[in-house]
Amino acid sequence: DIQMTQSPSSLSASIGDRVTITCRASQRISTHLNWYQQKPGKAPKLLIYTASNLQSGVPSRFSGSGSGTDFILTISSLQLEDFATYYCQQTYTTPPTTFGQGTRLEIK
Amino acid sequence: EVQLVQSGAEVRKPGESLKISCKTSGYSFSDYWIGWVRQMPGRGLEWMGIIYPGDSEIRYNPSFQGQVTISADGFNSSTYLQWSSLKASDSGMYYCARHRSYDILTGFGFWGQGTLVTVSS
């Protein structure tokens, strides 16, 4: 299976900060990388698909980039509602697709 | 509006069987892959498998193959996740999720609310 490694595992930031979360694949996956946001007690929510495409309804402060093995999720100006856990997912191989271990974004 | 509504929380003993459901609405059920994702307490997301209701093709994560059964019922626009003999390690939250488009590479764009399964003697 392709292993997905996110960094950092946790992150403290303030409202208005620019935040980046990195996801690295154990082999090249082209742009078959999706990003999700999960809040406590809620189902995940798709933010970005195929590395850089913004899912409908997701605020434009979220963006994604990367290809091959290295990918970045950027939040340009943190809002209160953005404090959550973020997961990347590779869909280059199915089955199985694999998720990163998650990055917990907390208020500083 | 696409909706996925899952069955309620379940408590079972080890060795018991269980079938949980995910009822969909708002789209043509047979046209989109739909799958299941596990989240154990305090842990990350694990892709269990997906089914294409149009022809009942199923793709399992090898880690879950033989441990669970995924099925679909087009008449009820529902997908199911079934265990024949539960273990304590099956405890967790289970989400059904539908891909955002016909292209399964673009991720799960629609999710159920989750079904909490607790297996304890």
Side-chain angles (χ1 to χ4, degrees):
Chain A
D1 297 357
I2 297 176
Q3 306 303 313
M4 306 302 294
T5 303
Q6 291 181 229
S7 59
S9 295
S10 64
L11 172 61
S12 295
S14 301
I15 303 293
D17 283 354
R18 179 184 180 87
V19 167
T20 59
I21 298 170
T22 298
C23 180
R24 175 165 288 175
S26 60
Q27 66 185 71
R28 295 183 67 83
I29 59 170
S30 184
T31 56
H32 299 307
L33 190 285
N34 307 310
W35 289 99
Y36 298 85
Q37 175 194 67
Q38 187 179 30
K39 297 182 179 179
K42 299 294 187 183
K45 172 186 174 182
L46 180 66
L47 299 176
I48 303 287
Y49 61 95
T50 51
S52 61
N53 295 282
L54 194 67
Q55 169 70 341
S56 177
V58 173
S60 59
R61 62 181 179 273
F62 291 93
S63 63
S65 63
S67 67
T69 60
D70 295 313
F71 301 86
I72 295 173
L73 173 70
T74 300
I75 310 172
S76 60
S77 178
L78 266 178
Q79 302 300 304
L80 185 61
E81 60 267 30
D82 300 337
F83 292 95
T85 299
Y86 293 84
Y87 294 94
C88 61
Q89 176 204 24
Q90 68 80 17
T91 53
Y92 185 75
T93 60
T94 302
T97 76
T98 44
F99 292 91
Q101 81 280 12
T103 295
R104 185 174 177 181
L105 178 54
E106 300 175 321
I107 299 174
K108 184 182 285 184
Chain B
E1 180 192 7
V2 175
Q3 290 192 318
L4 285 69
V5 179
Q6 297 184 229
S7 49
E10 301 276 4
V11 179
R12 292 285 189 278
K13 291 180 166 51
E16 293 186 338
S17 63
L18 176 64
K19 188 175 187 178
I20 62 175
S21 66
C22 169
K23 184 166 178 60
T24 74
S25 61
Y27 73 98
S28 177
F29 179 68
S30 61
D31 290 347
Y32 292 82
W33 289 86
I34 187 167
W36 291 90
V37 175
R38 182 175 79 174
Q39 188 167 38
M40 299 176 74
R43 306 295 295 273
L45 305 171
E46 298 173 272
W47 186 94
M48 301 178 71
I50 54 175
I51 185 167
Y52 186 71
D55 61 7
S56 295
E57 180 182 349
I58 304 172
R59 301 179 184 177
Y60 286 102
N61 182 333
S63 297
F64 290 93
Q65 181 126 31
Q67 311 304 308
V68 297
T69 301
I70 294 172
S71 60
D73 177 356
F75 184 79
N76 290 304
S77 297
S78 295
T79 182
Y80 304 93
L81 183 64
Q82 185 172 3
W83 295 261
S84 58
S85 181
L86 285 160
K87 310 182 216 18
S89 58
D90 292 318
S91 296
M93 183 68 82
Y94 292 85
Y95 294 101
C96 64
R98 199 211 84 176
H99 291 91
R100 64 168 295 281
S101 74
Y102 299 125
D103 182 356
I104 66 173
L105 302 181
T106 60
F108 290 124
F110 302 92
W111 294 72
Q113 82 277 19
T115 296
L116 182 63
V117 173
T118 303
V119 184
S120 174
S121 53

